[in-house]
Amino acid sequence: MTLHIVHNHHAPDTTSHGDTWRDHAVCAKPNITRPDAMFPDNDAVDLELARGICASCPVKAMCLLDALETEQGRGTGNRHGVRAGRTPKQRHSLYMRSIRERVTFEDLVDEVLFRDPLREAFERRTESLEGGHVRWTIRKTSVHVRGQRYTPLQLAFHLSRGRRAAGTIRTTCGQERCVAPDHIVDAAERGNGRQAAA
């Protein structure tokens, strides 16, 4: 038997403790999370608990990126647990979208976890004018954001109120094509205004 000795002229890294993003995951802390908490099956209450754990996690972006990279083309039946607040079905949809739209996993993670697609869609298509007015700058009279169709007024309303408008949205400033969130009201707000005046 012959022994081959290989000399390595590099000093070993003794400063690294082998930390990975997983070591910082909230769900990995046994004093915070029970072992099965991230596998809620179809129970709505348990699903919301798992999503709540993910919401405060400092490494959720790495978790979702890891899920997309490791699960790849597996179907929903071969994806398990909640990762970064996303169910197996939601992660499968993200994967399929990455293929369909040729979007990188990193860009998907950024969009899903950190960007506000409604705000981006609004800001890309509007310009601010004097007097607090905002003008819609493109010819298209509707946009699709995350599979939902919005008119310019609906988009402005949803952004400022955090909900879809009830009934017809009207401008209050008289400026043609103004979509400033402060210059619009829906039917519910008009009704509340009439009640307050009475």
Side-chain angles (χ1 to χ4, degrees):
M1 181 167 139
T2 307
L3 276 174
H4 297 282
I5 299 173
V6 177
H7 295 283
N8 185 345
H9 299 289
H10 300 287
D13 180 6
T14 57
T15 60
S16 173
H17 300 289
D19 268 1
T20 69
W21 64 267
R22 285 182 174 86
D23 297 323
H24 302 282
V26 173
C27 65
K29 313 284 186 227
N31 58 333
I32 296 174
T33 317
R34 65 179 204 272
D36 63 341
M38 304 313 292
F39 299 90
D41 295 323
N42 292 320
D43 183 86
V45 172
D46 286 347
L47 179 59
E48 284 310 304
L49 287 173
R51 284 183 171 148
I53 291 166
C54 292
S56 64
C57 186
V59 292
K60 62 186 168 192
M62 292 301 301
C63 182
L64 183 55
L65 185 59
D66 180 72
L68 292 171
E69 288 173 349
T70 58
E71 293 171 340
Q72 292 279 331
R74 297 181 196 167
T76 54
N78 292 315
R79 296 168 191 261
H80 305 287
V82 172
R83 308 256 329 245
R86 287 357 185 235
T87 64
K89 184 176 180 179
Q90 289 169 327
R91 294 194 309 273
H92 183 258
S93 286
L94 285 173
Y95 174 76
M96 295 307 292
R97 183 177 157 204
S98 76
I99 292 172
R100 188 174 59 251
E101 297 178 14
R102 295 186 176 130
V103 179
T104 67
F105 291 154
E106 290 84 359
D107 285 345
L108 274 179
V109 169
D110 276 352
E111 179 187 316
V112 168
L113 296 181
F114 303 114
R115 293 184 188 152
D116 182 348
L118 288 177
R119 183 159 307 285
E120 287 185 5
F122 185 77
E123 289 175 356
R124 273 197 314 262
R125 295 167 176 89
T126 58
E127 66 180 359
S128 297
L129 304 173
E130 288 183 29
H133 302 292
V134 176
R135 180 174 56 198
W136 189 255
T137 59
I138 64 170
R139 285 186 177 190
K140 277 181 84 172
T141 58
S142 68
V143 294
H144 284 81
V145 182
R146 287 193 174 164
Q148 296 287 320
R149 181 186 157 279
Y150 296 89
T151 67
L153 289 173
Q154 288 171 336
L155 186 57
F157 189 91
H158 194 109
L159 268 175
S160 61
R161 301 341 189 256
R163 66 174 175 84
R164 284 213 173 250
T168 305
I169 304 169
R170 294 195 180 132
T171 58
T172 58
C173 64
Q175 177 81 19
E176 188 177 342
R177 293 177 54 192
C178 181
V179 293
D182 294 341
H183 297 180
I184 58 177
V185 292
D186 70 348
E189 290 175 355
R190 287 192 302 277
N192 289 340
R194 282 193 291 268
Q195 288 174 357

